[in-house]
């Protein structure tokens, strides 16, 4: 990573990714794998290498992936895929047999992700997170909670967890949530002469970031990767998982994990002191510096509460989907005079590259599904394990373990979801899960969001690691018990709670 330019470039890995891409294309297509499917798998392999190694930045990798979809699929024969690809036409005639798919049709596939309502939701959510940063409302909320819990170290740990929970409802960005609470905790540590490499500093910062990751799972709108999964589930399995349904399924898991996190943190990283003298006064001082609640903050509070009510009552008292209601709220946030921020204020803070990566990730997943590549990969990868005929609990246990291990190589859960969710959807067909398909895929999405083991496994983890308050070893010592307990809880929930409420 270049500190001067903020760009990423690792030429060796970029060259290797192209070698792998070309190598796969030169291998004869196997039985049941069309040429277009092989091209899709080659592009997937190329993408995974770029994502895992960060050979180039994520937005740059996204544009490369789009270009490859256009070229490799555009010059592939359609074979028997016209039905799944919507009967593409060249010169007004449906193409079939050995006709080439055509770059114009491939271009539509490359951009298909951007026509998804999921992209609209993620883009609007980024604006909402930006509004929090413009007004400092997320910081004020964090300070209010920390003021409430007081000076005792144990209570501040509880406060860090509570802040992560509260902000997860209103700030749809894990990085923004971590960015709100981590500086406050660092300020409390520094103000009283406690060293940055103390156990107290490590305890507070790791607690905050692990709690943020836990609640990525509990709330649908808390993380972009959740929207990826919901988009594919809706498109391929025909069920749009509402905000309320997701909360019913996942929040109990996150609540239990938050309680366990408190005990794990104090056991694994015991602090040197039981109290931060004057901590409450420091938090109060920071609140005073923010001044009284501004009119723009009150408006943002009103909009956030409105969104929360509308999200949670979707399908219960109104038919408006999460994406639509969030875009409507965004329009009010940007209105002159009565809104929260101007377009100019928002424009400079929005990570536009995230939207590009998100849209291309959905496009790649769509390509994998529509070219039968995901189905072929599922058959070949999981077929030899003999999952067919196994109890659903055993299948969940095995695939979840695979999911956790593969996450070690990914810095982006959104990219991981784009690569794996289409394969998991195809797996449900391979092993004939039937009515349990939606539940199986949703549970695997929960596991995709784990990222507890290494700081590099999530943006919020890297943000916290940048504070230099803990080592990778410290993070791992905490991450192992959290991951093991989280995994066992997923298996237990699959045997009990999720069966009782009809998810499985």
């Amino acid at each position: 990573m270049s500190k001067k330019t903020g760009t990423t470039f690792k030429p060796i890995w970029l060259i290797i990714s192209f070698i792998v891409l070309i190598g796969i294309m030169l291998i004869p297509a196997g039985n049941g794998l069309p040429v277009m499917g092989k091209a899709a798998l080659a592009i997937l392999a190329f993408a995974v290498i770029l994502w895992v190694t960060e050979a180039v930045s994520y937005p740059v990798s996204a544009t490369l992936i789009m270009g490859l979809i256009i070229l490799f699929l555009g010059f592939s024969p359609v074979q028997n895929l016209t039905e799944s690809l919507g009967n593409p036409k060249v010169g007004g005639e449906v193409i079939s047999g050995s006709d080439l798919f055509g770059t114009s049709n491939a271009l539509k596939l490359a951009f298909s992700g951007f026509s998804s309502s999921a992209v609209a939701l993620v883009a609007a959510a980024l604006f909402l997170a930006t509004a929090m940063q413009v007004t400092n409302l997320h910081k004020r909320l964090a300070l209010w909670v920390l003021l409430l819990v007081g000076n005792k170290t144990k209570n501040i740990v509880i406060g860090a967890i509570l802040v992560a929970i509260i902000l997860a409802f209103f700030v749809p960005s894990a990085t923004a949530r971590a960015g709100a609470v981590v500086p406050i905790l660092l300020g409390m540590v520094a103000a009283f002469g406690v060293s940055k490499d103390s156990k107290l500093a490590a305890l507070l910062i790791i607690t905050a970031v692990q709690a943020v990751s836990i609640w990525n799972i509990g709330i649908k709108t808390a993380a972009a990767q959740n929207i990826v999964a919901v988009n594919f589930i809706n498109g391929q399995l025909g069920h749009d998982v509402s905000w309320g349904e997701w909360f019913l399924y996942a929040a109990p898991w996150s609540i239990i994990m938050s309680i366990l996190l408190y005990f794990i943190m104090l056991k694994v990283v015991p602090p040197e002191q039981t109290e931060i003298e004057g901590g409450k006064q420091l938090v109060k001082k920071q609140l005073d510096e923010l001044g009284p609640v501004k009119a723009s903050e009150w408006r943002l509070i009103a909009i956030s509460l409105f969104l929360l009510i509308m999200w949670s009552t979707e399908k219960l008292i109104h038919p408006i989907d999460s994406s639509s209601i969030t875009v409507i709220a965004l329009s009010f946030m940007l209105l002159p005079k009565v809104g929260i921020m101007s377009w100019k204020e928002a424009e400079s803070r929005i990570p536009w590259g995230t939207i590009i990566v998100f849209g291309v990730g959905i496009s790649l997943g769509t390509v994998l599904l529509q070219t039968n590549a995901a189905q072929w990969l599922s058959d070949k990868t999981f077929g030899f394990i003999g999952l067919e005929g196994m109890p659903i609990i055993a299948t969940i246990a095995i695939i979840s373990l695979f999911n956790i291990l593969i996450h070690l190589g990914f810095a982006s859960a959104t990219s991981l979801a784009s690569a794996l969710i289409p394969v998991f959807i195809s797996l449900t067909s391979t092993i004939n899960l039937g009515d349990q398909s939606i539940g199986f895929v949703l549970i695997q999405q929960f596991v995709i969001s784990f990222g507890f083991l290494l700081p590099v496994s999530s943006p919020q983890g890297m943000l916290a690691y940048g504070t230099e308050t803990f080592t990778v070893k410290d993070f791992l010592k905490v991450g192992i018990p959290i991951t093991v307990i989280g995994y066992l809880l997923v298996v237990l929930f699959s045997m009990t709670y999720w069966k009782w409420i009809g998810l499985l």
Side-chain angles (χ1 to χ4, degrees), residues 120-138 167-173 176 221-222 243 299-308 311 322 325-327 329-331 333-334 340-341 346 349-351:
L121 177 57
V122 167
L126 289 174
F127 275 90
L128 182 59
T130 298
M132 288 280 178
Q133 291 164 13
V134 168
T135 61
N136 267 329
L137 178 58
H138 62 335
L167 291 182
F169 285 91
F170 302 105
V171 184
S173 163
T221 48
W243 192 97
R299 292 194 292 272
L300 182 54
I301 289 169
I303 289 173
S304 298
L305 289 173
F306 167 76
L307 275 174
L308 187 59
W311 285 338
S322 301
I325 201 67
T326 311
V327 171
L330 169 61
S331 66
M333 284 193 288
L334 292 171
I340 289 147
M341 58 186 174
R349 291 177 171 90
I350 294 291

Side-chain angles (χ1 to χ4, degrees), residues 375-387:
Q375 186 66 58
W376 185 89
L377 187 61
S378 170
D379 293 344
K380 296 299 179 184
T381 305
F382 301 115
F384 72 93
I385 302 176
L387 294 175

Side-chain angles (χ1 to χ4, degrees), residues 426-496:
S426 296
L427 178 61
T428 63
S429 173
T430 301
I431 58 179
N432 301 314
L433 286 183
D435 294 340
Q436 297 174 315
S437 296
I438 294 168
F440 171 79
V441 176
L442 204 53
I443 290 166
Q444 292 312 312
Q445 174 54 36
F446 299 159
V447 179
I448 279 174
S449 291
F450 267 35
F452 304 124
L453 286 169
L454 297 171
V456 75
S457 294
S458 67
Q460 64 270 20
M462 288 304 294
L463 183 150
Y465 185 63
T467 63
E468 299 178 348
T469 53
F470 60 87
T471 64
V472 172
K473 186 180 177 183
D474 293 330
F475 201 87
L476 193 60
K477 279 167 63 180
V478 172
I480 289 172
I482 293 173
T483 301
V484 170
I485 292 170
Y487 170 74
L488 293 175
L489 198 58
V490 163
V491 175
L492 179 62
F493 266 44
S494 299
M495 296 168 67
T496 55

Side-chain angles (χ1 to χ4, degrees), residues 8 49 68 70 148 229 262 288 322 334 383:
T8 300
I49 294 170
L68 291 173
I70 294 166
L148 190 67
Y262 169 78
D288 290 340
S322 301
L334 292 171

Side-chain angles (χ1 to χ4, degrees), residues 74-95:
F75 288 97
S76 293
V78 175
Q79 294 174 301
N80 60 344
L81 294 177
T82 51
E83 185 177 347
S84 64
L85 290 167
N87 293 321
K89 296 181 179 181
V90 175
E93 295 183 4
V94 174
I95 52 176

Side-chain angles (χ1 to χ4, degrees), residues 231-243:
N231 180 76
F232 285 128
I233 290 170
N234 187 19
Q236 301 299 317
L237 301 178
H239 180 73
D240 187 13
V241 182
S242 70
W243 192 97

